[in-house]
């Protein structure tokens, strides 16, 4: 863990929280430490898991892993996707509370829109764990379990630079920037992590963004939807690249990287150096084929396993382990976090990166 990364991350979270801040947001003196736990609960209790939309493979995998892991630990697993959007997720969380869930694990569609339900959950005595995405503007979140999101962005930014240099030893290089969905608290953190690496190179002229679109607000992809990224890429290519080559693209995840590549191909451009995230099967194959440049390995099995470990600790009346108590300021409190380390994957290490992964291991042998 790097201190600079952490400070930047806290600032990034604070910045988006400030953007999303509504009248109900309160900036209290931050509190840290285990706020839940203490009282054990029956081993066969209901545990709610509220997942967002299926915008990437990691969420689909998480559904199965939560169902299997919680059930085999003896709990009643109540795992729900909210493909219909925020109000569906709000209703699902309320239903979990009504069914008596002792822990509610939330992968939020919009981390700032669940305040009422999270308060209901806490009032009913449940512990709330933010999973992968932070819950914002609420004191009613006890823990956060995620991969280090700022680090993900830093790795993406560095990979883009490395890939460009490997293709052509010196710049300037033309690049475009894509970010995730602005309602997902992670999106700005990924972008800010990447920009901590790229911005100095934009400032010194090594990197050129011909569209001029360098802010997070300009780079976002609503709903993490591939159609939106593809449409924006089409527009950028028509507007700024009819007489220029697009050398590189910062893409926040694999699904959007593949969408951008589709657009680039249709425009008759050579394949740019493009980043990704999630180690999706199609993207890992694309890296092996020399198309997509990089992805990030954030093993979902480890993340779900850690969330379930927290549930088991809470069930036994123990305070779950955390390893970070200063990075994730949700604007009301600093949420005690357990962060896992993301790993960059390119053609250079793709054959060794997934040796213990049951899906990707055999593909990359
Ligand atoms: C996750 C990414 C994922 C994205 C879109 C983010 O919150 O951290 O792994 O690619 O959501 O589903």
């Amino acid at each position: 863990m790097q201190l600079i990364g952490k400070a930047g991350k806290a600032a990034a979270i604070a910045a988006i929280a400030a953007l999303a801040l509504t009248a109900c947001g309160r900036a209290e003196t931050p509190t840290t430490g285990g706020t839940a736990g203490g009282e054990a609960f029956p081993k066969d209790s209901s545990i709610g898991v509220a997942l967002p939309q299926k915008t990437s493979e990691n969420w689909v995998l998480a559904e199965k892993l939560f169902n299997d892991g919680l059930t085999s630990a003896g709990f009643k697993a109540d795992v729900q996707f909210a493909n219909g959007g925020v109000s569906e997720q709000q209703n699902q969380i309320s239903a979990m509370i009504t069914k008596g869930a002792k822990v509610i694990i939330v992968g939020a569609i919009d981390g700032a829109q669940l305040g009422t339900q999270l308060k209901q959950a806490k009032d009913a005595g449940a512990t709330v764990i933010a999973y992968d995405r932070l819950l914002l503007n609420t004191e009613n979140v006890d823990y956060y379990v995620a991969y280090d999101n700022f680090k993900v962005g830093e790795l993406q930014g560095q990979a883009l630079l490395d890939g460009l240099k490997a293709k052509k030893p010196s710049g300037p290089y033309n690049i475009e920037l894509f970010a995730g969905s602005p309602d997902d608290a992670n999106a700005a953190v990924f972008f800010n992590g990447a920009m901590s690496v790229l911005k100095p190179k934009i400032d010194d002229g090594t990197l050129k963004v011909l569209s001029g679109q360098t802010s997070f607000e300009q780079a976002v992809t609503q709903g993490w939807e591939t159609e939106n990224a593809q449409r924006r890429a089409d527009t950028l290519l028509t507007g700024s690249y009819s007489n220029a080559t697009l050398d590189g693209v910062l893409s926040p995840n694999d699904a959007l990287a593949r969408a951008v590549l589709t657009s680039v191909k249709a425009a008759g451009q050579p394949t740019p150096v493009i980043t990704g995230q999630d180690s999706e099967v199609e993207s890992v194959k694309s890296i092996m084929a020399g198309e997509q440049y990089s992805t990030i390995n954030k093993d979902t099995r480890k993340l779900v396993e850690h969330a379930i470990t927290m549930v088991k600790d809470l069930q036994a009346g123990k305070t779950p382990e955390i390893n970070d108590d200063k990075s994730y300021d949700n604007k009301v409190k600093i949420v005690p976090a357990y962060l896992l380390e993301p790993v960059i994957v390119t053609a250079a290490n793709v054959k060794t990166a997934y040796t213990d992964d049951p899906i990707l291991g055999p593909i990359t042998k």
Side-chain angles (χ1 to χ4, degrees):
M1 301 278 125
Q2 296 151 341
L3 284 173
I4 294 171
K6 283 178 183 227
K9 201 159 39 187
I13 295 280
I16 39 164
L19 275 180
L21 192 62
T22 59
C24 63
R26 280 186 302 142
E28 289 180 340
T29 308
T31 54
T32 59
T35 50
E39 228 177 283
F41 52 80
K43 261 201 125 171
D44 62 351
S45 297
S46 175
I47 307 296
V49 183
L51 298 174
Q53 287 126 330
K54 299 180 184 178
T55 42
S56 44
E57 281 171 13
N58 55 310
W59 297 110
V60 180
L61 188 56
E63 176 191 34
K64 179 178 166 27
L65 293 167
F66 272 120
N67 270 318
D68 293 353
L70 288 169
T71 308
S72 72
F75 298 109
K76 289 189 196 79
D78 181 5
V79 186
Q80 306 289 339
F81 266 110
N83 286 309
V86 173
S87 58
E88 184 176 358
Q89 187 162 53
Q90 291 169 335
N91 293 339
Q92 287 169 340
I93 294 173
S94 294
M96 288 168 189
I97 301 164
T98 310
K99 283 189 246 166
K102 294 292 182 200
V103 181
I104 299 183
I105 297 170
V106 185
I109 295 173
D110 184 333
Q113 297 295 327
L114 299 173
T116 307
Q117 291 71 32
L118 300 179
K119 180 163 189 324
Q120 283 168 2
K122 293 301 294 177
D123 289 348
T127 299
V128 174
I129 300 175
Y131 172 85
D132 194 331
R133 300 174 172 180
L134 190 60
L135 293 161
L136 302 174
N137 297 343
T138 176
E139 61 194 322
N140 297 309
V141 48
D142 299 292
Y143 300 102
Y144 181 42
V145 55
Y147 278 88
D148 185 335
N149 299 307
F150 193 83
K151 185 77 194 284
V152 167
E154 286 179 316
L155 292 171
Q156 291 172 329
Q158 192 56 51
L160 181 55
L161 278 186
D162 293 347
L164 289 167
K165 275 200 194 124
K167 265 200 169 170
K168 192 168 71 163
S170 62
Y173 308 100
N174 297 331
I175 65 159
E176 291 296 332
L177 307 167
F178 284 74
S181 189
D183 47 6
D184 170 0
N186 285 354
V189 186
F190 296 147
F191 189 77
N192 290 340
M195 287 304 263
S196 72
V197 177
L198 300 176
K199 174 123 191 333
K201 301 289 178 189
I202 294 173
D203 292 345
D204 75 11
T206 308
L207 301 175
K208 299 211 176 299
V209 183
L210 295 188
S211 69
Q213 300 187 7
T214 55
S215 71
F216 174 69
E217 290 73 21
Q218 289 170 318
V220 293
T221 308
Q222 282 294 337
W224 288 98
E225 284 187 21
T226 52
E227 301 79 32
N228 293 338
Q230 196 169 329
R231 196 176 316 117
R232 178 164 174 262
D234 289 345
T235 307
L236 295 177
L237 285 161
T238 314
S240 308
Y241 293 87
S242 45
N243 292 310
T245 302
L246 176 62
D247 299 310
V249 178
L250 174 74
S251 165
N253 80 356
D254 287 348
L256 301 190
R258 297 195 303 274
V260 171
L261 282 178
T262 303
S263 166
V264 167
K265 270 185 199 160
Q269 286 264 343
T271 305
V273 175
I274 187 164
T275 60
Q277 165 172 210
D278 294 329
S279 296
E280 298 207 339
V281 171
E282 284 313 308
S283 285
V284 169
K285 286 184 181 164
S286 173
I287 289 173
M288 295 188 71
E291 285 186 353
Q292 188 173 322
Y293 181 75
S294 66
T295 187
I296 302 277
N297 189 8
K298 305 195 303 185
D299 192 335
T300 303
R301 290 168 304 154
K302 287 190 188 142
L303 197 58
V304 169
E305 190 183 298
H306 198 81
I308 294 179
T309 300
M310 282 185 163
V311 174
K312 287 179 184 164
D313 285 343
L314 291 163
Q315 186 280 318
K318 288 194 272 179
T319 299
E321 183 193 349
I322 59 156
N323 62 8
D324 180 288
D325 64 359
K326 52 181 172 296
S327 300
Y328 282 92
D329 183 347
N330 81 348
K331 215 40 193 167
V332 174
K333 68 190 281 191
I334 295 181
V335 185
Y338 192 93
L339 301 180
L340 284 82
E341 279 290 303
V343 176
I344 190 79
V345 180
T346 66
N349 65 339
V350 70
K351 284 186 183 294
T352 51
Y354 306 109
T355 39
D356 63 349
D357 188 306
I359 300 163
L360 298 171
I363 296 173
T364 49
K365 247 190 208 146

